[in-house]
Amino acid sequence: MSEDDDIRSLLVDTAQRIFRDHCSQRTVEAAKRDGWSPELWEIVQQAQLPLVSIPEEKCGAGGSVSDLAAVLRVAGRHSAPLPLAETGLLAAWMLAASGLNVPPGPLAAAFQRTEGELRLEPVADSWRLSGELKRVPWASIASRLVVLVRGGDCDRVATVDPGRCTIARGVNLAWEPRDDVRFERIALRADEVVHAGRGVTIEAFYRRGALARALLMAGALDRALERSIEHARTRVQFGRAIGRFQAIQQEIARFGAEVAAAAAAALSAAGEVERGDGELAVACAKIRVGEAAATGSAIAHQIHAAIGVTEEFALHHSTLRLQAWRSEYGSETYWGERLGQRILDAGAERLWPLLTDSA
Amino acid sequence: MLFDDVDFSALTLPAEAQALRREVRTFLAAELASGRIVPHLGHAQFDREFSRRVGARGWIGMTWPRQFGGAERSYLERFVVTEEMLAVSAPCAAHWFGDRQTGPSLLRHGSEAQKRRFLPAIARGESPFALGMSEPGNGSDLASVRTRAVKVDGGWRVSGQKVWTSWAHLAEHFFCLCRTSPEEGDRHLGLSQLIVDLHATGVTVRPIRFMSGAHHFNEVFLDEVFVPDDMVLGEVGAGWRQVTSELALERSGPERFMTTFPLLIELVRRLGGTADRRARQVVGQLTARFHALRRMSLAIAFEFTRGASQRTMRDLGTEASLVKDLGTFYERDITEAARLLVDIEPRPDAEDTFERYLAECIYTTPVGTIRGGTTQVLRTIIARKLLGAAGSA
């Protein structure tokens, strides 16, 4: 085993232990009301998990995007009610790449979608931010909000105290915070607005967001499959465990194949984002994992039957997140069209090289 | 559970494999441009001359030891050659069985004399092999073979019937799974693999025409065929174990999800700049599914490479079954998407490549999910691994 493998397995073991011990069904259930779990965040932050992949000289924890990817998969597996992906893969990445130190605490991240959505004006030697961003993940619980703002000459990264914004709370299908944030002529100091650093673009932000959801979904699929296997082994009908019926076995096998394909796609994409722009791999991952989420949730519920759709049974923590995350940072439809367009523009002779040249 | 310990984020092909890819691509482009090969989809075509040219390049048996005609290259390089051949549907049937199944079996179980006789010839592309496993009374249930070998002085007398034997009418030899001792107790015992000369006295090969009219399947009748002792592969009675290890190899490669891939390329050409929103989405989805399948198949090739150097192989048999299961449905997805997006009447005599490929794919669509392990058998294997004995037995 190489040194890198050692670090990776240590991280994964740590994440698994923390979430197993501190992210119970009650924790996830309580987060439906509170938006998240501050207690769990403290433990995860102590273990330095949120800032994996951020250089240590920028107050990060070191390691690679693939290391963080492995942690996010575990977080998804446990439905961890935390802005783990937003903090490390998005907000801290923008800050560190733009030369800023990363503050402690949970971070939210957002970008300007349309021209008129935000306005960032220079005022003497400071700035003023106005406008509104819709459905910003975790804005209501974050200690800082990191926004990628479009500018005429260049894009800028602004760090905002959410306490100074007007936040209207909203949720996704799994009751995770997705909030509308209004900036009403908020004054920002010069050191709170910087030029977006190398590689920090709206395209890259969106790809990383999609990668984050693919990784979390891969984890949620792991969990939904584990629960389904457990149920098939223990639930007795007609005098035997339902897993002994071929009809159930065939569905479990189909489910297993989807989960494997999802993990392959999501983790491969993490490697590609680490080594290059990852456009093709991320598009493939968001599409393929989304398909697996659709098939996987359906099979999981079918195997569990009625108990699986109740609030008291934890399956829905996984399956509702799968359904929510499928749509975030681009659905299969969005990425399918984008990828298809790219392939059709390149032409038939370029299809095979596109798929094989990088790896 | 599945693909445990596989780090997909780190799987990148080494530079020498990518350099080899460019060589193979150049070779195939020249083969196509000259008209020496004309691809057909569905069943790999049998072309001895093409196989000889591939052999001359050193691309058959390329992972085998040099002393047996191999090139001692990695499984990843073999993977690259295989997928390049598949991307243009090159006619590899005259060497693929040898390269993928009989060669590796000979290496593992064969005698020195067998290895010296067959492996260099297979690697040169000059010794086409077929596989004699299925029989009229057995399809998925391989262990119920009835072809029987009776011990005689200096060898065995083999009688019985094999069926679905691809290319037996053109191959030189086939691996024949047969019963060498009476069936009592465990029916997996008492089976052996014999190397049978398809031109020997007592062998009759009759075509079974495919529903398209094509001829690649055969029935092989064996009537008291003499097989000398030195043509027994491995141990007498160990045939079941030997054959099932062949199946694991057979299931893991890109040939299980790429047989209709050239149709996807032609679909992209046909759609060109006129593609509407739905067409773009479908092309994107098909690309994404391909990508995930390839990454899984590649992970297995990486494991073969690692295992070959460290002499310990993780068992990825279930994962190989899974790739084949997903892969064969993916092949079908391409065919279905092509006909729904391009509304033409498919015809086998079409001159247009897209239209001909589409017809060929429709003919062979039902075969992918049957050969080399049916969907249902594969899913039973996967479920057994996932549920464990307690849940599925």
Side-chain angles (χ1 to χ4, degrees):
Chain A
M1 221 190 233
S2 74
E3 202 175 306
D4 289 351
D5 289 342
D6 281 342
I7 293 170
R8 179 83 49 85
S9 57
L10 190 68
L11 272 172
V12 168
D13 288 348
T14 304
Q16 261 163 357
R17 186 171 38 74
I18 289 176
F19 291 130
R20 196 189 52 227
D21 296 348
H22 303 283
C23 185
S24 65
Q25 187 178 348
R26 188 180 299 177
T27 310
V28 183
E29 207 52 50
K32 285 181 184 171
R33 185 190 62 232
D34 305 336
W36 73 316
S37 170
E39 300 79 16
L40 183 61
W41 175 266
E42 280 309 314
I43 298 163
V44 167
Q45 183 159 271
Q46 282 277 309
Q48 291 203 306
L49 293 182
L51 297 183
V52 171
S53 84
I54 305 301
E56 289 173 55
E57 62 270 23
K58 296 282 185 262
C59 307
S64 65
V65 169
S66 299
D67 291 330
L68 178 58
V71 172
L72 289 177
R73 182 181 177 192
V74 179
R77 189 162 164 242
H78 292 269
S79 308
L82 301 174
L84 211 47
E86 281 70 12
T87 299
L89 201 57
L90 296 172
W93 158 69
M94 289 194 283
L95 294 173
S98 307
L100 296 176
N101 287 339
V102 179
L107 306 175
F111 69 97
Q112 181 179 358
R113 284 162 213 266
T114 60
E115 208 57 51
E117 207 172 30
L118 292 181
R119 211 169 53 251
L120 183 64
E121 303 158 298
V123 180
D125 57 353
S126 61
W127 299 85
R128 198 161 54 206
L129 180 64
S130 311
E132 181 173 19
L133 292 172
K134 300 273 190 196
R135 295 191 70 73
V136 177
W138 310 100
S140 53
I141 62 92
S143 59
R144 300 293 282 181
L145 175 57
V146 182
V147 187
L148 181 57
V149 189
R150 297 187 197 188
D153 46 344
C154 72
D155 294 345
R156 291 191 169 79
V157 174
T159 323
V160 187
D161 175 0
R164 300 168 64 197
C165 310
T166 309
I167 296 181
R169 293 182 66 161
V171 290
N172 67 10
L173 284 170
W175 292 277
E176 292 182 314
R178 299 294 184 258
D179 310 312
D180 295 346
V181 182
R182 276 198 70 76
F183 308 95
E184 287 160 0
R185 297 161 64 81
I186 293 174
L188 296 172
R189 292 192 315 269
D191 64 348
E192 289 174 321
V193 178
V194 294
H195 285 279
R198 205 181 148 78
V200 179
T201 63
I202 285 169
E203 288 284 293
F205 183 108
Y206 205 66
R207 274 197 295 270
R208 280 177 164 248
L211 171 64
R213 290 299 179 266
L215 290 161
L216 291 169
M217 281 195 278
L221 279 162
D222 288 336
R223 182 51 155 257
L225 175 61
E226 286 162 8
R227 287 195 190 283
S228 301
I229 287 170
E230 184 56 27
H231 192 73
R233 274 180 179 154
T234 50
R235 172 72 169 164
V236 174
Q237 291 285 276
F238 306 105
R240 50 184 168 155
I242 60 170
R244 289 181 182 243
F245 291 100
Q246 286 201 342
I248 301 289
Q249 291 173 18
Q250 298 274 315
E251 290 302 276
I252 291 276
R254 214 154 66 85
F255 196 173
E258 290 299 306
V259 174
L267 295 171
S268 295
E272 291 300 310
V273 165
E274 190 176 309
R275 290 183 290 268
D277 74 10
E279 167 71 22
L280 178 94
V282 168
C284 288
K286 192 66 171 55
I287 296 165
R288 188 62 188 88
V289 180
E291 291 181 346
T295 310
S297 321
I299 296 176
H301 278 293
Q302 189 65 25
I303 285 173
H304 280 85
I307 188 70
V309 297
T310 60
E311 192 173 55
E312 70 170 89
F313 196 83
L315 178 65
H316 73 282
H317 292 314
S318 302
T319 56
L320 289 182
R321 276 172 176 75
L322 287 170
Q323 295 297 354
W325 293 339
R326 267 178 84 186
S327 301
E328 295 179 352
Y329 297 105
S331 62
E332 296 105 272
T333 307
Y334 169 83
W335 284 103
E337 197 173 344
R338 175 161 158 173
L339 178 57
Q341 184 67 59
R342 180 175 173 200
I343 283 161
L344 288 156
D345 285 347
E349 294 306 319
R350 287 294 305 152
L351 172 58
W352 180 241
L354 262 177
L355 287 167
T356 50
D357 280 355
S358 77
Chain B
M1 271 178 296
L2 294 164
F3 288 108
D4 285 343
D5 305 322
V6 171
D7 181 5
F8 284 101
S9 62
L11 301 183
T12 52
L13 286 168
E16 61 268 23
Q18 293 294 44
L20 174 62
R21 179 189 301 288
R22 288 188 287 276
E23 264 180 70
V24 179
R25 222 172 255 179
T26 307
F27 165 79
L28 288 171
E31 290 283 314
L32 289 163
S34 67
R36 279 194 294 273
I37 59 171
V38 178
H40 290 269
L41 302 193
H43 296 270
Q45 300 296 298
F46 192 102
D47 181 341
R48 266 180 184 249
E49 291 311 312
F50 176 74
S51 289
R52 228 172 240 142
R53 293 195 291 277
V54 175
R57 294 285 176 138
W59 297 336
I60 304 174
M62 51 196 289
T63 61
W64 307 346
R66 282 180 203 284
Q67 61 174 132
F68 299 123
E72 299 182 7
R73 301 185 79 153
S74 75
Y75 282 94
L76 296 175
E77 289 169 299
R78 182 180 176 278
F79 183 94
V80 164
V81 172
T82 307
E83 65 175 0
E84 288 297 323
M85 296 280 171
L86 288 159
V88 299
S89 194
C92 294
H95 68 264
W96 250 347
F97 294 99
D99 182 60
R100 187 175 68 194
Q101 280 151 281
T102 51
S105 286
L106 280 161
L107 264 179
R108 212 168 324 149
H109 310 296
S111 67
E112 274 306 299
Q114 287 169 349
K115 288 189 219 177
R116 273 199 304 274
R117 174 172 168 192
F118 292 111
L119 291 174
I122 294 173
R124 286 195 304 271
E126 292 173 356
S127 180
F129 265 86
L131 292 175
M133 297 209 261
S134 298
E135 296 187 3
N138 82 14
S140 297
D141 181 15
L142 209 53
S144 66
V145 294
R146 276 197 291 229
T147 295
R148 191 166 296 277
V150 178
K151 190 74 192 92
V152 293
D153 196 25
W156 300 79
R157 286 268 172 216
V158 188
S159 295
Q161 183 189 351
K162 292 291 173 182
V163 76
W164 316 127
T165 316
S166 290
W167 306 111
H169 57 303
L170 298 175
E172 302 284 339
H173 294 85
F174 83 151
F175 271 19
C176 178
L177 183 67
C178 55
R179 191 157 284 290
T180 40
S181 56
E183 189 172 348
E184 44 196 36
D186 187 346
R187 65 201 186 100
H188 298 106
L189 300 175
L191 297 174
S192 303
Q193 278 184 296
L194 306 185
I195 304 168
V196 177
D197 181 348
L198 285 163
H199 304 298
T201 310
V203 178
T204 309
V205 179
R206 279 194 208 142
I208 302 173
R209 291 208 177 269
F210 188 57
M211 58 185 172
S212 67
H215 175 203
H216 40 82
F217 288 147
N218 299 280
E219 303 179 277
V220 179
F221 295 90
L222 301 143
D223 181 17
E224 301 269 305
V225 178
F226 178 72
V227 177
D229 278 326
D230 61 5
M231 286 296 112
V232 174
L233 179 71
E235 285 170 59
V236 171
W240 175 256
R241 188 163 42 78
Q242 294 172 197
V243 162
T244 46
S245 67
E246 272 173 34
L247 290 176
L249 268 179
E250 188 194 2
R251 274 175 196 158
S252 59
E255 57 272 32
R256 294 311 180 192
F257 54 90
M258 279 189 72
T259 63
T260 63
F261 189 80
L263 177 62
L264 177 59
I265 294 177
E266 293 309 315
L267 174 65
V268 169
R269 198 188 314 282
R270 183 83 171 218
L271 292 169
T274 68
D276 62 8
R277 190 153 179 253
R278 172 161 156 266
R280 293 198 293 273
Q281 284 166 14
V282 171
V283 167
Q285 281 166 342
L286 289 173
T287 305
R289 285 179 208 158
F290 175 83
H291 188 257
L293 278 164
R294 179 168 181 267
R295 298 296 290 172
M296 289 191 280
S297 183
L298 203 51
I300 295 172
F302 267 91
E303 180 54 25
F304 273 119
T305 306
R306 195 199 58 78
S309 66
Q310 298 180 6
R311 302 199 170 280
T312 52
M313 195 79 76
R314 274 198 287 262
D315 178 12
L316 291 178
T318 313
E319 285 80 356
S321 298
L322 179 159
V323 169
K324 182 184 183 286
D325 183 24
L326 280 178
T328 51
F329 276 85
Y330 173 68
E331 293 179 333
R332 192 183 283 190
D333 289 345
I334 291 179
T335 309
E336 199 57 22
R339 67 182 304 176
L340 293 177
L341 291 176
V342 181
D343 193 10
I344 52 149
E345 191 181 331
R347 45 185 285 190
D349 56 351
E351 283 181 18
D352 175 83
T353 307
F354 169 80
E355 295 181 14
R356 178 168 60 81
Y357 279 4
L358 178 57
E360 288 171 350
C361 288
I362 291 169
Y363 283 127
T364 45
T365 286
V367 178
T369 49
I370 296 170
R371 65 182 163 195
T374 65
T375 306
Q376 289 69 28
V377 167
L378 297 173
R379 289 185 183 169
T380 303
I381 291 170
I382 300 164
R384 193 172 297 157
K385 169 85 176 277
L386 289 173
L387 287 163
S392 68

